[in-house]
Structure formats: C-alpha cells, structure tokens
C-alpha cells in the first residue's frame, strides 16, 4: 500500500488534483512503456475456468479451452481470465493466479504462431491485500493488461482512492505500470457498494495514465455515461469502452434505414454520446468464438443482412441456457458453457465451482439437445468459414516448457 506521505492533508491541494499530484511525484520512479499503449479493438472472451471434479484447476484442459477460443487467429482478440464468467469470486487466490499464468503463456504461444492475442488478467479479489498481490503477480508474469472491479473489493471503502493510492502506490513501489481496465458489473458489486461507478468517478479515474478503458455490463444509458465521462481526458483511441452485454452491438451498429431506423439510430447515438464501442465482451464466445468474431466484424462494417443472420444465431444462446425452477426462470450460463465445451470434446470436466448453480441431469439433457440444434442452425445459416472448429484447440504443445 502507499505510504501516508502520499495522502494529502486537509491543507493540501483540492481533491480533484490529487491524482495528478500522485502521478507527478511517482513519475521519475516508474518505468514507462516504450510506446503509447492503445487498447485493442475486437472480441474479448471472458474465459470459463475449467475445474476437475475435486475443484482444482485442470491445467491441460484450461489450455485447450484457450486455444479453442483463439481458433488459430479467427476467434478471440483478447483472452480475459479471472472475470465473472471465470467464477473469480468462487476461486481462491492461488487458483486465480494459476489461470492468469496459463493465459499469459497461451497468448505467448499464439504469438509464436503469428497470432496476436492480448492476455488480460482479472486481479479482483475479495480484499485489498489479495487484489494487490494479484496485480504484482500479473506484472511478474508479463500480462498485457489487468482488469479490476473496484466496487467488488469488500474492504476498499472508496473506489477512486483504491485505484489512485493503492494501485498507483503499487506501481510506484514496483517501478513500472501495466494498462488497467475498469470492470463494472452490478451483479458482483460487494454488499453495501453502489451498483455502478458514478460518472464523476470514471471521469477522474480516466485521467490516470494507466487507466485505458472500462468493461461495462449494463445498458445503453450507463454505457453512454462512461463514454461522456472519459471523452475529454484521453486522446482518441486511448480509452476504450467494451460492453459486457454483447448483444447491444447489433443495435448500436445497426445502419439507419427508413423513418423508424433513423429514429432508433438517433436514440442509440444520443444514449451513447455518439460514440460506439471499441470491442465486445461475449461470454458465449467461449463456445462460439468464430461466430462472435464475425458478428463483431459485420457490426463494425454495418453489413445489415449479415448482422441479421449472425444475430439470429448468437442471440439464441441465452435462451437455451434458461430453465424453470420452482416456477421461476433461471439462467445457468456458466454451467451451460462448460457443458457445451465438454460436448464439443474440448474438455472432459464440466464441474462448476462451489456456489455456482449446476445443471440437473434432466436440464443437462435438454440443454445438449438445444445446443446441438443451435449448431445445426448455425451450419445451415452462417458462412462456413466462420463456424467454430473443435479441432482448432488441438495445436501441438508437446514442446512447451512446463
């Protein structure tokens, strides 16, 4: 943690200037990257964590899932480990760090095969000490960036102070920085914390030189608030917005046609402050990486006929994960992702962490029926070169150092 000497007293500068003062004091001791970091565009896959029946990380099968997500260069642009889909809040810290290490290593292996994929490591833990330990570990293993959900850290009283003082203090102590992305998801906010970061908080944090964007699991209004907050403090392309509700891209990029289309387009652009996402975070891309990569491409190019074809397939995923329990609809997304990967032959274990809702036997049978039907529909509807290949995971790794 940063020392008390870094904490301005009551006679110090106004609160708005504290971030810049901290940065200035530390700048001579922090090794800066040689070139300006620009956040990548494209598909971010928030990886599931593969566990054996005893609850331990299945290392080889975790690697297989990552290689499947990369699809030899036609899938993920970013592998995001340790997020909500990866059950970060149900793993212990050593497990989080194992997954981080595997992710960085697999991205390095992909680079050796001329496939550039960034390794983003989720460092959020339930307490400050473990979160900072994860940050130091991410720096040590050479992660491309880290992702942090400050509202999910139980003992972090103020998200701004935590990022400025604790993260900034760790960078000063270590002598180097990593790109940091904020993660905002109301479903994982700690009890008693606000569901989302306030606009003023994002505005202030965006001034920090190591903050490069935010992953937002929310609707268009919250997404637009973040865009507006950061617009004046970074040069174009330096602060990226990634929607966690991946299906929003089909509306946000939809071309305006006709009176209804122009009205919808105007409304979307008004809500998002006339700024479109830089990428998309799609949990279903664990299973459908090529389909989601192509969805991103055709949305960016506003190719309406192809947008409709891909939307008709990928939007079925949430529906096939829904079941009725005690008269209520329940979505078992993580369990279904793992069951689908097992069905594809990518892994042999679809165990979920303690606390994650698992599929009942009858639900598993029904889900697999739905999933196989979805794949048949995709094969009949989509471009054949953009159908995910189960064989893409089977890259030879026999020579990899352990």
């Amino acid at each position: 943690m940063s020392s008390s000497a870094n904490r301005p007293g009551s006679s110090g500068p106004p609160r708005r200037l504290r971030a810049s003062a901290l940065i200035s004091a530390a700048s001579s001791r922090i090794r800066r990257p040689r070139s300006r970091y620009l956040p990548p565009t494209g598909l971010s896959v928030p990886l599931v964590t593969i566990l054996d029946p005893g609850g331990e990380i299945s290392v080889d099968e975790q690697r297989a899932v990552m290689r499947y997500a990369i699809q030899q260069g036609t899938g993920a642009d970013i592998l995001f480990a340790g997020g909500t889909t990866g059950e970060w809040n149900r793993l212990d810290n050593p497990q989080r760090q194992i997954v981080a290490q595997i992710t960085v290593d697999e991205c390095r292996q992909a680079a050796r095969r001329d496939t550039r994929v960034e390794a983003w490591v989720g460092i959020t833990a339930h307490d400050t000490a473990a979160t900072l330990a994860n940050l130091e570990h991410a720096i040590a293993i050479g992660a491309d960036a880290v992702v942090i959900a400050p509202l999910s850290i139980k003992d972090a009283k103020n998200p701004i102070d935590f990022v400025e003082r604790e993260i900034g203090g760790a960078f000063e102590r270590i002598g180097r920085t990593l790109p940091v992305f904020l993660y905002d998801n109301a479903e994982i906010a700690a009890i008693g914390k606000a569901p989302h970061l306030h606009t003023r908080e994002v505005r202030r944090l965006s001034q920090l030189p190591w903050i490069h964007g935010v992953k937002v699991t929310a609707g268009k209004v919250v997404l637009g608030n973040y865009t507006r907050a950061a617009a004046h403090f970074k040069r174009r392309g330096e602060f990226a917005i990634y929607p966690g509700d991946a299906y929003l891209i089909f509306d946000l990029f939809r071309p305006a046609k006709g009176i209804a289309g122009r009205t919808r387009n105007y409304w979307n652009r008004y809500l998002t402050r006339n700024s479109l996402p830089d990428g998309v975070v799609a949990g279903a891309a664990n299973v459908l990486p090529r389909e989601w990569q192509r969805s991103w491409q055709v949305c960016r190019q506003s190719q309406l006929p192809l947008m409709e074809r891909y939307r008709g397939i990928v939007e079925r995923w949430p529906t096939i994960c829904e079941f009725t329990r005690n008269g209520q609809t329940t979505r078992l997304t993580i369990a279904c992702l793992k069951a689908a990967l097992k069905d594809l032959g990518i892994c042999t274990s679809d165990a979920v962490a303690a606390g994650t809702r698992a599929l009942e036997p009858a639900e598993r049978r029904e889900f697999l029926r739905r999933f196989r039907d979805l794949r048949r529909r995709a094969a009949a509807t989509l471009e054949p070169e953009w159908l995910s290949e189960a064989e893409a995971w089977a890259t030879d790794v026999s020579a990899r150092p352990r």
Side-chain angles (χ1 to χ4, degrees), residues 161-239:
D161 287 345
F162 177 80
V163 176
E164 283 182 359
R165 296 177 178 176
E166 307 301 346
I167 298 294
F171 285 152
E172 180 181 355
R173 183 176 64 254
I174 296 168
R176 59 168 297 187
T177 68
L178 272 183
V180 176
F181 291 84
L182 304 172
Y183 181 18
D184 192 359
N185 184 345
E187 293 183 3
I188 60 169
I191 296 174
K193 301 290 180 70
H196 296 289
L197 293 166
H198 296 295
T199 302
R200 65 180 180 274
E201 294 170 333
V202 178
R203 180 185 296 118
R204 183 167 159 192
L205 291 176
S206 70
Q207 298 175 66
L208 294 165
W210 53 79
I211 297 290
H212 285 280
V214 59
K215 182 243 177 179
V216 189
T217 302
K220 298 172 188 174
V221 173
V222 176
L223 201 67
N225 287 342
Y226 290 164
T227 302
R228 179 182 61 184
H232 302 295
F233 298 105
K234 297 283 189 188
R235 285 178 286 182
R236 185 173 180 82
E238 286 189 331
F239 190 95

Side-chain angles (χ1 to χ4, degrees), residues 28 63 76 131 144 154 232 241 266 302 310 328 333 347-348 351:
S28 63
R63 290 184 182 278
T131 301
D144 291 300
K154 295 177 181 178
H232 302 295
I241 305 289
Y266 172 81
S302 296
Y310 280 86
Q328 295 184 334
T333 302
C347 58
T348 60

Side-chain angles (χ1 to χ4, degrees), residues 1-2 123 127-129 131-132 135 148-151 153 155-169 205:
M1 297 186 184
S2 58
I123 62 171
D127 59 73
T128 297
T131 301
L132 294 176
L135 173 62
I148 184 166
L151 293 175
I153 304 170
D155 61 350
K157 296 181 180 179
N158 183 298
I160 296 179
D161 287 345
F162 177 80
V163 176
E164 283 182 359
R165 296 177 178 176
E166 307 301 346
I167 298 294
L205 291 176

Side-chain angles (χ1 to χ4, degrees), residues 1-291:
M1 297 186 184
S2 58
S3 67
S4 60
N6 289 327
R7 302 179 186 275
S10 59
S11 61
R15 186 173 181 81
R16 182 179 180 82
L17 298 179
R18 289 181 184 173
S20 58
L22 175 62
I23 296 161
S24 177
S27 60
S28 63
R29 294 185 292 275
I30 296 179
R31 178 161 55 87
R32 303 295 179 183
R34 292 183 179 180
S35 60
R36 184 164 56 99
Y37 177 80
L38 293 178
T41 60
L43 173 64
S44 172
V45 180
L47 295 161
V48 295
T49 302
I50 304 301
L51 304 171
D52 65 23
E56 299 299 321
I57 306 295
S58 180
V59 174
D60 288 340
E61 296 193 356
Q62 186 70 55
R63 290 184 182 278
V65 167
M66 293 173 182
R67 294 193 295 273
Y68 176 74
I70 294 171
Q71 289 284 304
Q72 298 174 347
T74 57
D77 298 295
I78 302 162
L79 293 185
F80 169 28
T84 307
T85 308
E87 301 172 281
W88 73 267
N89 51 343
R90 298 187 173 104
L91 303 177
D92 60 32
N93 231 39
Q95 289 178 310
R96 297 184 190 111
Q97 293 185 7
I98 290 171
V99 176
Q101 176 71 69
I102 299 169
T103 306
V104 171
D105 184 54
E106 284 300 324
C107 288
R108 287 174 180 164
Q109 295 295 327
R112 292 171 187 168
R113 299 187 293 269
D114 296 322
T115 300
R116 170 62 175 161
V117 184
E118 287 206 2
W120 288 14
V121 171
I123 62 171
T124 310
H126 294 297
D127 59 73
T128 297
T131 301
L132 294 176
N134 290 340
L135 173 62
E136 294 190 16
H137 179 259
I139 293 173
I141 63 177
D144 291 300
V146 296
V147 184
I148 184 166
L151 293 175
S152 300
I153 304 170
K154 295 177 181 178
D155 61 350
K157 296 181 180 179
N158 183 298
I160 296 179
D161 287 345
F162 177 80
V163 176
E164 283 182 359
R165 296 177 178 176
E166 307 301 346
I167 298 294
F171 285 152
E172 180 181 355
R173 183 176 64 254
I174 296 168
R176 59 168 297 187
T177 68
L178 272 183
V180 176
F181 291 84
L182 304 172
Y183 181 18
D184 192 359
N185 184 345
E187 293 183 3
I188 60 169
I191 296 174
K193 301 290 180 70
H196 296 289
L197 293 166
H198 296 295
T199 302
R200 65 180 180 274
E201 294 170 333
V202 178
R203 180 185 296 118
R204 183 167 159 192
L205 291 176
S206 70
Q207 298 175 66
L208 294 165
W210 53 79
I211 297 290
H212 285 280
V214 59
K215 182 243 177 179
V216 189
T217 302
K220 298 172 188 174
V221 173
V222 176
L223 201 67
N225 287 342
Y226 290 164
T227 302
R228 179 182 61 184
H232 302 295
F233 298 105
K234 297 283 189 188
R235 285 178 286 182
R236 185 173 180 82
E238 286 189 331
F239 190 95
I241 305 289
Y242 302 90
D245 181 353
Y247 307 97
L248 284 177
I249 66 172
F250 292 100
D251 285 333
L252 296 176
F253 286 98
R254 186 180 180 89
K257 290 188 176 181
I259 295 175
R262 285 193 293 271
T263 302
R264 180 177 56 248
N265 186 266
Y266 172 81
W267 184 242
N268 285 339
R269 297 301 174 88
Y270 171 76
L271 289 176
T272 58
R273 307 302 188 252
N274 202 36
S275 180
L276 292 171
D278 298 271
V280 61
V281 185
N286 279 276
V287 173
L288 303 168
R290 288 194 187 186
E291 292 84 350

Side-chain angles (χ1 to χ4, degrees), residues 347-396:
C347 58
T348 60
S349 173
D350 58 0
V352 297
T356 298
R357 292 174 295 184
L359 288 162
E360 300 291 341
E363 293 170 339
R364 181 187 303 277
R365 291 191 294 271
E366 175 60 18
F367 168 73
L368 292 178
R369 184 194 68 78
R370 296 173 183 175
F371 175 58
R372 292 163 185 170
D373 179 65
L374 175 64
R375 294 190 71 209
R376 285 191 291 269
R377 288 173 179 266
T381 305
L382 306 181
E383 303 156 285
E385 65 271 27
W386 289 103
L387 298 173
S388 297
E389 296 181 355
E391 293 78 12
W393 68 269
T395 305
D396 180 21

